[in-house]
Amino acid sequence: MVEVEIDGGGGGGGDGWWLLRQERDKENGDLFCSHKKLIFYKLYNSKKKLYNSKKDGIPSRETTINSSNGRRPIPLIGLGTATRTESGDQVKAAVIEAIKVGYRHFDTASLYGTEKPLGEAIKEALRLGLIKSRAELFITTKLWCNSTEGHLVVPALNQSLRELGLEYVDLYLIHWPLKLNQDDVKSPITKESIAAINIKDVWEGMEKCQNLGLTKSIGVSNFYPRIIEEILSIAKIPPVVNQVEMNPLWQQKKLIDFCKKKDILVTGYSPLGAYNIVWGHNRVMECDVLQDIAMSRGKTVAQVSLRWMYEQGVSFVVKSFNIEWMKQNLDIFDWSLTEEEVIKISCIPQQKHLYLSGTMLKEPHDVLSEIDAGLSY
């Protein structure tokens, strides 16, 4: 039997500890987690202090990040727009419906090809009076790897702004910490086109974007501690967000702790495993632990997973263009997971899904291998 102590507080240990026991079933040898109830004290609510504190008894749906205008709010739930199947018209229609049901944070990227329909949806939402001004929305887009050179960063963001039909975005992220020597985003990636990123050079370009007013904040995506530390050592404007793969089956506890100490908000993508998407998986939605909790609480598996994400003090982007699912995914604020449920989710075996090696390129490559290793932190 292995006993593992997990900090139940904010790192100081003063709020108590959970003691998890990993044991083998005597009959079939399967591993399982158990805990002793008698050692709980001041446990559960301590996990939910930082980002989702309550105002007047109402759970907060946003946190704040640093920006060119001081601390600015960022909605904790965003709608992702990465797609390989929906048309531009379908993306536009989905975003309009999302605004109607309450979404105010939208995530796109030059790679996705959805900047233009997102911008068209914003324009239509303004025309319909669904929002009074563009400032009511939080828009994130990303710098693709074929523009990760210092002199290419500002032109790349200007191109994204033209696609979006906006004067600025709220958050601009470096999509991956690598360089692709290719002109077209959609060009096939070859071994020869992949190179290491000059992060100092690129980050200076990112800072210029913020100083020019093209974005309110800057950050990174799919970055790991070593390269974040490299940015922090030279940055005049530190990154405020790190967007990474995260869900109950890949919980990212160490990375979240690292980022929190650096005042970097973690945003989780694929919080449901990118269910039914070409590059995704069904393991989150088909997880027995999550299904059992959902059934006992009268919730969907998606709601349980997103509520768990919320209770980790992170933001997240979830992609669904189904109107009913959009509504359900927002319905996570007026209930909480129990101590027992949190323990069960903590015991789910962990498995990272997205690796560049074998996805971006079939053959081995040192740059991709280093990124994959760093993101397995």
Side-chain angles (χ1 to χ4, degrees):
M1 179 178 71
V2 179
E3 294 186 351
V4 183
E5 287 184 332
I6 296 181
D7 186 3
D15 286 313
W17 300 81
W18 291 327
L19 184 65
L20 303 185
R21 297 175 181 270
Q22 190 177 59
E23 305 178 85
R24 289 195 180 274
D25 187 279
K26 293 179 180 179
E27 293 187 5
N28 60 32
D30 289 342
L31 281 171
F32 68 96
C33 284
S34 64
H35 65 276
K36 287 196 172 179
K37 190 80 172 180
L38 58 90
I39 65 166
F40 282 176
Y41 60 98
K42 295 185 184 177
L43 290 175
Y44 181 58
N45 289 329
S46 63
K47 292 290 288 184
K48 299 180 283 183
K49 287 180 178 178
L50 185 57
Y51 294 118
N52 51 358
S53 58
K54 295 183 178 181
K55 294 181 180 180
D56 301 322
I58 301 173
S60 177
R61 300 189 179 204
E62 61 186 32
T63 186
T64 60
I65 56 175
N66 284 322
S67 76
S68 51
N69 302 120
R71 300 293 292 189
R72 296 182 73 242
I74 173 174
L76 289 169
I77 300 182
L79 186 78
T81 62
T83 179
R84 289 185 182 177
T85 55
E86 286 92 354
S87 67
D89 287 342
Q90 288 174 307
V91 173
K92 177 182 175 181
V95 170
I96 292 171
E97 292 302 321
I99 292 173
K100 287 179 181 178
V101 302
Y103 287 85
R104 292 297 180 266
H105 179 181
F106 295 92
D107 180 271
T108 185
S110 59
L111 176 67
Y112 303 161
T114 56
E115 290 174 326
K116 186 174 182 179
L118 172 57
E120 291 172 349
I122 294 169
K123 185 177 180 180
E124 182 68 5
L126 285 165
R127 188 188 69 81
L128 294 173
L130 302 177
I131 51 174
K132 293 180 180 178
S133 74
R134 178 263 180 266
E136 292 181 30
L137 302 179
F138 190 100
I139 307 299
T140 299
T141 195
K142 307 178 192 76
L143 175 74
W144 184 235
C145 305
N146 67 339
S147 296
T148 48
E149 292 185 50
H151 69 286
L152 297 177
V153 178
V154 171
L157 180 49
N158 275 323
Q159 176 59 31
S160 288
L161 291 173
R162 284 191 289 272
E163 291 291 311
L164 287 160
L166 300 176
E167 295 181 355
Y168 70 91
V169 291
D170 298 274
L171 179 62
Y172 196 42
L173 306 178
I174 304 174
H175 208 146
W176 285 91
L178 62 88
K179 174 74 178 82
L180 291 178
N181 295 305
Q182 56 177 193
D183 294 327
D184 189 351
V185 170
K186 302 298 183 182
S187 296
I189 296 172
T190 64
K191 188 172 184 178
E192 293 71 28
S193 70
I194 299 171
I197 191 172
N198 181 338
I199 194 59
K200 180 178 184 294
D201 186 46
V202 176
W203 196 253
E204 288 175 353
M206 296 291 286
E207 291 177 328
K208 189 173 182 180
C209 287
Q210 182 164 329
N211 289 331
L212 289 171
L214 304 177
T215 181
K216 299 294 185 182
S217 300
I218 51 177
V220 295
S221 178
N222 301 299
F223 275 51
Y224 47 95
R226 185 193 65 75
I227 198 164
I228 292 174
E229 291 279 22
E230 190 175 343
I231 294 173
L232 294 173
S233 71
I234 54 93
K236 295 174 183 173
I237 304 173
V240 298
V241 163
N242 185 18
Q243 187 178 123
V244 294
E245 178 186 5
M246 181 186 172
N247 54 61
L249 274 66
W250 186 238
Q251 297 181 10
Q252 297 277 28
K253 293 180 184 298
K254 290 182 180 180
L255 184 60
I256 292 170
D257 287 343
F258 170 84
C259 289
K260 193 174 292 186
K261 290 173 184 176
K262 307 297 183 181
D263 194 25
I264 297 172
L265 174 67
V266 168
T267 296
Y269 67 76
S270 298
L272 307 179
Y275 182 69
N276 279 339
I277 302 296
V278 175
W279 61 86
H281 61 87
N282 298 343
R283 293 193 300 274
V284 174
M285 301 301 287
E286 294 175 359
C287 174
D288 290 343
V289 172
L290 300 175
Q291 288 181 344
D292 289 346
I293 293 171
M295 184 174 295
S296 67
R297 298 296 298 275
K299 304 294 182 182
T300 67
V301 171
Q303 287 172 327
V304 171
S305 298
L306 297 180
R307 177 67 203 192
W308 176 85
M309 296 280 290
Y310 175 74
E311 293 185 9
Q312 306 314 297
V314 303
S315 63
F316 47 92
V317 291
V318 57
K319 189 263 178 178
S320 176
F321 291 171
N322 178 294
I323 298 174
E324 288 307 310
W325 290 352
M326 285 184 196
K327 293 176 182 177
Q328 290 174 4
N329 291 344
L330 287 177
D331 188 18
I332 64 168
F333 295 104
D334 60 353
W335 57 281
S336 299
L337 293 167
T338 67
E339 295 171 358
E340 295 280 349
E341 290 163 350
V342 170
I343 290 291
K344 288 177 180 178
I345 294 173
S346 295
C347 290
I348 294 173
Q350 295 297 287
Q351 183 178 356
K352 176 175 166 58
H353 176 74
L354 184 58
Y355 289 91
L356 289 180
S357 300
T359 302
M360 181 174 281
L361 188 72
K362 297 301 180 184
E363 55 189 307
H365 195 288
D366 290 345
V367 171
L368 303 187
S369 296
E370 181 181 345
I371 294 171
D372 286 337
L375 289 172
S376 298
Y377 176 71

